[in-house]
Amino acid sequence: MEQDYKKIEELIDRFFEGQTTNEEERELYDFFSSENIPESLLPYRPIFAYFETGIKEESGHPIIIQSSRNKRIRIWASIAASLLILISLGIYHFTREKDYNPYEGSYIVRNGVKITDPKIVNPKIEKTIEEILRQKKEYNLLLQQLQETNKEPYVQIAKELKQRQLKGIEQLKDETIQKNF
């Protein structure tokens, strides 16, 4: 009798995996319609009672019972396909060639009018950057000369150079805005 119950338990497992034949399912239905069912298998009784009688009472449409394994495979496959599409779109978006303009959004003001045309703005920005680099190179050269001389005057002269640099930058701003505009 114990072997019959083990066989029934194996059939139940195979049934829920969708691997039973019609004959094996009929054996399960017959077993659960009998009165001699052990307590451990009683929870399955309403399920198999439904499969035996409930399906026949349904509306005559064919009922397809998919195994939970097939459902899980389909769910994971759809998730994987969705992720693949998202990753592909992300790669496309971040690797495509874009026109890069480092001065995009820059503007100048000429006679109170804001000018955003890159053909006018970009040369002015380049000229300003060149002037700043020239002044910085001059500043660094003077500092280097001071370091080679005496230490005490170096501190005082460095402060003066720093002030001159700040004034030069202020002048550059004023000149660039006012000059040729």
Side-chain angles (χ1 to χ4, degrees):
M1 198 63 143
E2 189 67 33
Q3 286 181 334
D4 290 339
Y5 295 141
K6 285 191 180 205
K7 180 182 177 188
I8 294 296
E9 287 175 355
E10 288 174 16
L11 284 176
I12 290 171
D13 290 339
R14 289 186 52 226
F15 176 83
F16 285 119
E17 290 177 11
Q19 298 176 350
T20 53
T21 64
N22 287 342
E23 186 178 311
E24 291 170 329
E25 289 175 15
R26 175 60 45 204
E27 187 177 340
L28 285 171
Y29 303 148
D30 292 341
F31 174 79
F32 283 102
S33 63
S34 70
E35 296 298 322
N36 299 333
I37 301 175
E39 269 190 57
S40 63
L41 298 177
L42 275 177
Y44 296 108
R45 183 180 221 169
I47 296 170
F48 288 101
Y50 170 77
F51 281 119
E52 181 181 22
T53 59
I55 293 176
K56 293 176 187 174
E57 295 171 3
E58 295 272 335
S59 66
H61 297 322
I63 295 180
I64 300 171
I65 301 173
Q66 292 182 341
S67 72
S68 60
R69 182 172 181 244
N70 286 344
K71 286 181 183 178
R72 281 185 270 152
I73 289 172
R74 286 185 183 161
I75 289 171
W76 282 110
S78 63
I79 290 171
S82 300
L83 286 174
L84 184 63
I85 289 170
L86 287 174
I87 290 170
S88 299
L89 289 174
I91 289 171
Y92 169 75
H93 176 72
F94 289 111
T95 59
R96 68 177 180 198
E97 291 280 329
K98 294 180 184 176
D99 293 335
Y100 178 71
N101 182 2
Y103 306 123
E104 185 175 345
S106 299
Y107 65 91
I108 59 173
V109 177
R110 186 184 285 172
N111 297 328
V113 177
K114 182 177 177 180
I115 300 172
T116 58
D117 183 13
K119 291 178 184 173
I120 297 171
V121 174
N122 289 354
K124 299 296 180 188
I125 292 173
E126 292 292 334
K127 184 177 177 183
T128 303
I129 290 172
E130 287 174 16
E131 182 63 27
I132 289 171
L133 290 175
R134 186 192 62 74
Q135 285 183 5
K136 186 175 181 180
K137 190 183 281 187
E138 180 183 320
Y139 171 74
N140 288 336
L141 183 64
L142 285 171
L143 282 177
Q144 185 179 7
Q145 288 173 357
L146 287 174
Q147 285 175 340
E148 292 171 0
T149 60
N150 196 354
K151 294 266 184 202
E152 284 184 35
Y154 165 72
V155 174
Q156 181 63 28
I157 295 172
K159 288 180 183 177
E160 289 176 20
L161 281 175
K162 187 85 167 172
Q163 289 175 351
R164 278 178 59 192
Q165 184 184 25
L166 292 174
K167 285 181 185 177
I169 291 173
E170 288 296 320
Q171 278 181 335
L172 182 63
K173 286 181 185 176
D174 293 339
E175 287 176 15
T176 313
I177 292 173
Q178 293 174 2
K179 202 185 251 184
N180 299 324
F181 296 112

